[in-house]
C-alpha cells in the first residue's frame, strides 16, 4: 500500500489517495477532487509506478464529498473500474438529481431554521455553486457496515462511521501485521471533522460521530491513514482528543446560552466562531446545531421555535459548579 498526496484548496490540507498495486489488480481508496491539477498529480503518481487510469480495477470511496470521489467517474470511464461506496452515499456519488435536489431543499430549510441571514445565504450558495462539478459521475456498487473485500493479500473491512457524512466509512485492515485503518474524514490529524453542516442529511449527527470516535478508541488501531495530511500514529489518543474537544464545545454552548438568553443557532455560532465566510458559513451553524440538538435531547437545553434556551435550573447549576463540570454523558 502506498499513500499518494494530492493538492486540495480546502482547509483540511492535502488529500490522500491510497494505492494497492502489488498484486493481480490495481485498487485505490479515494481519488482526490476533480480539479485538473489533482488529475495531473494522480496520473503522474501512477505513471511513476508504471500505471495509468486505465489500469485501475477497483475504487473504494470513504464518502461522497467531492474532494474524495471527484475523479472516480473519469477513472471508471477509462478503465471500467468498479466503484464502491456506502449505500447512504451512493445516490449522491452517482449524481442522482432527486438525491441532490433533496439535499439542497434540506439545506435551505436548515438555513432558515438556523436563522442564517439572507446575505450570508447568498454568499454560501455562491460558494457551493463554485464547488459543483459537472465531470462524469460513476456507476457505483453499494456496501454496508461489516462488508469485507479482498485486495491482494489484504482484507478491507467496512466500518460505518456516520456523522461527518451519512455514508462515511473507514476501511480496517491488517498491514505489516498490525491492525490499521483508513479513516477518511472520520479521524484527521489536525482538524476536527465538521458535523451538522457537512451533510445535513445526518440525523443526530453529534451522537453518531461521538459513537464512531469511541469505536476508534476501543479498536486501538496501530495507525490511521486519514483522508487528509499525514498518518496518525496514535488513533485512539487522537479520537479521545476530539471527544474531549466536543465536550468542551458543548460547555461553550451552555455558557453562551447562559449569557445571551434564548437565541437561535446563528447567534450561538457567532459566539463560538465569530464572523464566517466561504464554506464556513455552512459549517459554523451546522456544528452549533449539532451541539444544540444533542444537548436538547439530553434535557439540558430546550428548543422553542427556532430559539434555544437553558432548561430550568441549568443556569443555577452552572453557577454552582464554580468552574467544575458535571458529566454531559459523553
Amino acid at each position: 500500500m502506498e499513500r499518494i498526496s494530492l493538492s486540495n484548496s480546502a482547509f483540511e490540507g492535502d488529500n490522500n489517495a491510497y494505492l494497492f498495486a502489488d498484486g493481480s489488480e490495481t485498487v485505490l481508496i479515494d481519488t482526490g477532487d476533480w480539479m485538473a491539477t489533482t488529475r495531473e498529480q494522480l496520473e503522474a503518481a501512477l505513471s511513476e509506478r508504471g500505471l495509468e487510469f486505465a489500469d485501475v480495477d477497483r475504487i473504494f470511496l470513504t464518502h461522497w464529498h467531492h474532494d474524495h470521489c471527484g475523479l472516480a467517474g473519469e477513472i471508471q470511464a477509462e478503465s471500467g473500474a468498479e466503484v464502491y461506496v456506502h449505500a447512504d452515499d451512493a445516490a449522491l456519488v452517482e449524481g442522482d438529481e432527486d438525491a441532490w435536489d433533496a439535499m439542497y431543499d434540506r439545506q435551505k430549510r436548515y438555513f432558515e431554521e438556523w436563522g442564517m441571514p439572507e446575505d450570508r445565504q447568498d454568499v454560501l450558495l455562491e460558494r457551493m455553486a463554485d464547488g459543483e462539478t459537472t465531470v462524469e459521475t460513476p456507476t457505483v456498487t453499494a456496501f454496508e457496515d461489516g462488508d469485507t473485500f479482498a485486495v491482494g493479500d489484504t482484507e478491507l473491512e467496512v466500518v460505518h462511521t456516520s456523522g461527518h457524512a451519512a455514508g462515511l466509512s473507514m476501511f480496517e485492515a491488517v498491514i505489516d501485521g498490525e491492525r490499521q485503518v483508513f479513516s477518511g474524514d472520520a479521524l484527521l490529524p489536525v482538524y476536527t471533522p465538521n458535523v451538522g453542516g457537512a451533510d445535513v442529511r445526518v440525523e443526530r449527527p453529534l451522537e453518531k460521530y461521538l459513537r464512531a470516535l469511541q469505536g476508534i478508541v476501543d479498536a486501538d488501531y496501530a495507525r490511521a491513514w486519514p483522508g487528509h495530511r499525514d498518518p496518525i500514529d496514535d488513533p485512539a489518543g487522537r479520537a479521545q482528543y476530539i471527544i474531549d474537544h466536543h465536550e468542551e464545545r458543548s460547555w461553550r454552548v451552555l455558557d453562551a446560552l447562559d449569557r445571551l438568553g434564548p437565541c437561535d443557532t446563528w447567534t450561538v455560532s457567532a459566539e463560538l466562531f465569530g464572523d464566517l465566510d466561504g464554506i464556513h458559513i455552512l459549517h459554523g451553524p451546522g456544528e452549533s446545531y449539532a451541539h444544540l440538538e444533542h444537548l436538547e435531547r439530553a434535557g439540558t437545553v430546550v428548543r422553542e421555535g427556532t430559539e434555544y434556551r437553558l432548561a430550568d435550573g441549568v443556569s443555577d447549576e452552572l453557577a454552582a459548579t464554580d468552574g467544575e463540570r458535571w458529566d454531559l454523558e459523553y
Side-chain angles (χ1 to χ4, degrees):
M1 186 277 296
E2 297 180 77
R3 178 170 71 102
I4 299 173
S5 183
L6 304 167
S7 63
N8 175 18
S9 60
F11 58 88
E12 294 96 337
D14 286 353
N15 273 85
N16 290 317
Y18 296 97
L19 172 67
F20 293 81
D22 197 26
S24 61
E25 62 176 348
T26 299
V27 175
L28 286 171
I29 295 178
D30 284 350
T31 69
D33 62 35
W34 68 97
M35 304 299 289
T37 301
T38 303
R39 180 182 177 121
E40 292 167 5
Q41 291 170 345
L42 184 55
E43 286 178 323
L46 292 175
S47 179
E48 289 174 2
R49 297 157 176 83
L51 300 168
E52 55 187 20
F53 280 8
D55 296 315
V56 177
D57 297 293
R58 288 189 288 172
I59 299 169
F60 293 91
L61 300 174
T62 57
H63 60 302
W64 67 268
H65 288 159
H66 294 321
D67 56 335
H68 294 265
C69 70
L71 288 172
E74 294 186 40
I75 296 172
Q76 186 182 69
E78 294 192 26
S79 67
E82 193 159 11
V83 177
Y84 298 84
V85 71
H86 191 276
D88 288 347
D89 285 359
L92 293 179
V93 173
E94 286 192 317
D96 181 84
E97 290 186 6
D98 290 339
W100 278 103
D101 286 344
M103 168 77 83
Y104 295 142
D105 289 345
R106 194 176 182 93
Q107 284 177 333
K108 286 290 290 181
R109 287 201 308 275
Y110 272 122
F111 297 167
E112 296 299 324
E113 289 180 16
W114 295 343
M116 185 184 295
E118 288 291 337
D119 63 326
R120 296 286 83 194
Q121 291 189 39
D122 292 341
V123 172
L124 175 59
L125 292 172
E126 182 177 352
R127 167 63 176 81
M128 291 194 296
D130 288 343
E132 289 178 357
T133 173
T134 57
V135 298
E136 190 161 3
T137 55
T139 299
V140 306
T141 299
F143 57 64
E144 298 283 357
D145 181 62
D147 286 351
T148 58
F149 300 91
V151 178
D153 294 332
T154 303
E155 182 177 83
L156 300 180
E157 180 174 350
V158 176
V159 181
H160 187 207
T161 49
S162 181
H164 175 69
L168 179 61
S169 297
M170 307 190 304
F171 302 104
E172 185 179 297
V174 175
I175 300 173
D176 297 330
E178 296 180 320
R179 192 174 175 216
Q180 303 187 29
V181 71
F182 299 90
S183 61
D185 282 1
L187 193 70
L188 298 176
V190 177
Y191 287 91
T192 56
N194 180 259
V195 290
D199 189 341
V200 296
R201 301 174 304 152
V202 183
E203 301 286 347
R204 300 187 174 190
L206 184 55
E207 176 187 303
K208 290 178 179 176
Y209 185 48
L210 291 170
R211 187 183 305 133
L213 288 170
Q214 188 59 53
I216 295 172
V217 172
D218 295 341
D220 197 22
Y221 299 112
R223 174 171 287 189
W225 301 91
H228 301 269
R229 299 178 184 257
D230 296 328
I232 302 169
D233 290 330
D234 180 14
R238 177 61 181 164
Q240 186 60 56
Y241 174 88
I242 298 176
I243 291 172
D244 294 343
H245 160 83
H246 279 294
E247 182 171 10
E248 172 70 24
R249 179 156 288 167
S250 279
W251 278 96
R252 292 182 62 200
V253 170
L254 293 176
D255 178 66
L257 292 177
D258 192 35
R259 289 183 290 103
L260 300 175
C263 56
D264 61 20
T265 302
W266 182 259
T267 303
V268 173
S269 175
E271 283 293 303
L272 295 181
F273 307 112
D275 293 333
L276 300 172
D277 203 2
I279 197 62
H280 299 287
I281 298 171
L282 171 64
H283 288 171
E287 186 98 6
S288 301
Y289 159 75
H291 280 268
L292 287 163
E293 185 270 342
H294 193 73
L295 291 166
E296 180 189 6
R297 285 187 294 99
T300 313
V301 165
V302 175
R303 177 178 174 177
E304 296 173 342
T306 60
E307 291 191 330
Y308 295 84
R309 63 170 176 83
L310 296 180
D312 293 343
V314 171
S315 183
D316 292 337
E317 291 184 67
L318 285 169
T321 60
D322 192 28
E324 297 296 323
R325 297 176 176 180
W326 71 83
D327 185 5
L328 286 175
E329 299 184 354
Y330 277 69

